[in-house]
Amino acid sequence: GQQLNQSPQSMFIQEGEDVSMNCTSSSIFNTWLWYKQEPGEGPVLLIALYKAGELTSNGRLTAQFGITRKDSFLNISASIPSDVGIYFCAGRGYGGSQGNLIFGKGTKLSVKP
Amino acid sequence: EAGVAQSPRYKIIEKRQSVAFWCNPISGHATLYWYQQILGQGPKLLIQFQNNGVVDDSQLPKDRFSAERLKGVDSTLKIQPAKLEDSAVYLCASSLVWDEQFFGPGTRLTVL
């Protein structure tokens, strides 16, 4: 089945630093989404991408839909302590039923004040 | 706007027992999803409803898992009988627009 490889698995950064993480697929995806999950809570949608090459921002977060349709990137600028959590990429490939998202294993972000 | 509600938040059972989870989606969201999230993994879709009909249940272990959404609003997910490997967080999500899913807080199930 379709799989997503998300990297890095974890990151330990200093407050104020920029963060980059990415996700790659074994097949072409037509939708990419980025979620953040905090302990004891469900994932929260951060950014949704629907077109190859699309670059979308949400505050200090910027995500891009790769032009190959097999990858996506999330950048966080000037990190702050509340950015701590697990970031998941999710996507849907062609042929998948509407809404049938596949999730990566997550990038755990730790921010040191 | 109220979010997706789930109950209970935590459940501990013995293997071979039965358990049920409840979900109330965001008002007006026709599509409802149940996911299983094992520790250290991303969520995995179990079943998707559109109103009260099943759209996709290809990854639902139907020998022990069942789900229903009788009136197109609330939904229940049942496991009978539970196995040790069913220990996970069970997430419910709903959506108005395809793919932009809103998740509830989840139910953490521990099977002993």
Side-chain angles (χ1 to χ4, degrees):
Chain A
Q2 294 170 328
Q3 291 186 336
L4 291 184
N5 293 311
Q6 190 170 348
S7 65
Q9 200 169 11
S10 61
M11 302 181 75
F12 296 86
I13 62 169
Q14 198 78 28
E15 182 177 359
E17 290 183 352
D18 296 344
V19 173
S20 291
M21 58 191 78
N22 69 82
C23 211
T24 58
S25 167
S26 56
S27 57
I28 293 172
F29 273 29
N30 60 19
T31 303
W32 285 100
L33 303 102
W34 286 91
Y35 283 86
K36 177 187 177 185
Q37 187 174 27
E38 298 185 24
E41 300 296 328
V44 174
L45 181 63
L46 299 173
I47 294 177
L49 302 159
Y50 296 102
K51 295 181 182 178
E54 181 180 355
L55 186 71
T56 298
S57 293
N58 178 5
R60 294 178 295 106
L61 278 62
T62 301
Q64 183 163 24
F65 191 140
I67 57 173
T68 67
R69 295 182 173 270
K70 290 187 176 182
D71 55 11
S72 180
F73 305 87
L74 176 70
N75 295 316
I76 305 173
S77 62
S79 59
I80 58 178
S82 62
D83 290 333
V84 166
I86 302 176
Y87 291 79
F88 289 99
C89 62
R92 181 166 60 83
Y94 290 97
S97 64
Q98 291 282 354
N100 188 343
L101 297 178
I102 297 170
F103 281 78
K105 292 186 177 182
T107 294
K108 185 175 182 179
L109 178 64
S110 301
V111 179
K112 186 176 181 181
Chain B
E1 178 181 85
V4 176
Q6 290 188 247
S7 68
R9 292 295 311 271
Y10 305 92
K11 191 74 177 179
I12 300 174
I13 62 172
E14 302 274 338
K15 61 182 178 183
R16 292 188 289 274
Q17 285 187 325
S18 301
V19 64
F21 313 125
W22 173 83
C23 172
N24 181 243
I26 293 173
S27 177
H29 283 194
T31 312
L32 184 147
Y33 315 78
W34 282 102
Y35 287 85
Q36 180 191 59
Q37 185 175 24
I38 293 172
L39 187 64
Q41 304 284 325
K44 184 185 86 170
L45 181 69
L46 293 175
I47 188 167
Q48 176 186 342
F49 291 94
Q50 174 73 12
N51 295 309
N52 60 350
V54 175
V55 174
D56 186 344
D57 63 356
S58 58
Q59 299 189 94
L60 186 74
K62 298 180 185 66
D63 57 335
R64 297 183 301 106
F65 286 64
S66 65
E68 60 183 13
R69 193 184 184 198
L70 293 176
K71 297 183 179 179
V73 180
D74 294 6
S75 177
T76 56
L77 175 70
K78 297 179 181 178
I79 307 175
Q80 180 179 11
K83 293 185 175 181
L84 295 176
E85 59 261 36
D86 298 332
S87 293
V89 175
Y90 290 85
L91 294 162
C92 179
S94 69
S95 69
L96 185 62
V97 176
W98 293 118
D99 296 331
E100 293 183 14
Q101 300 176 19
F102 294 86
F103 285 82
T107 297
R108 181 176 297 277
L109 174 67
T110 301
V111 182
L112 303 175

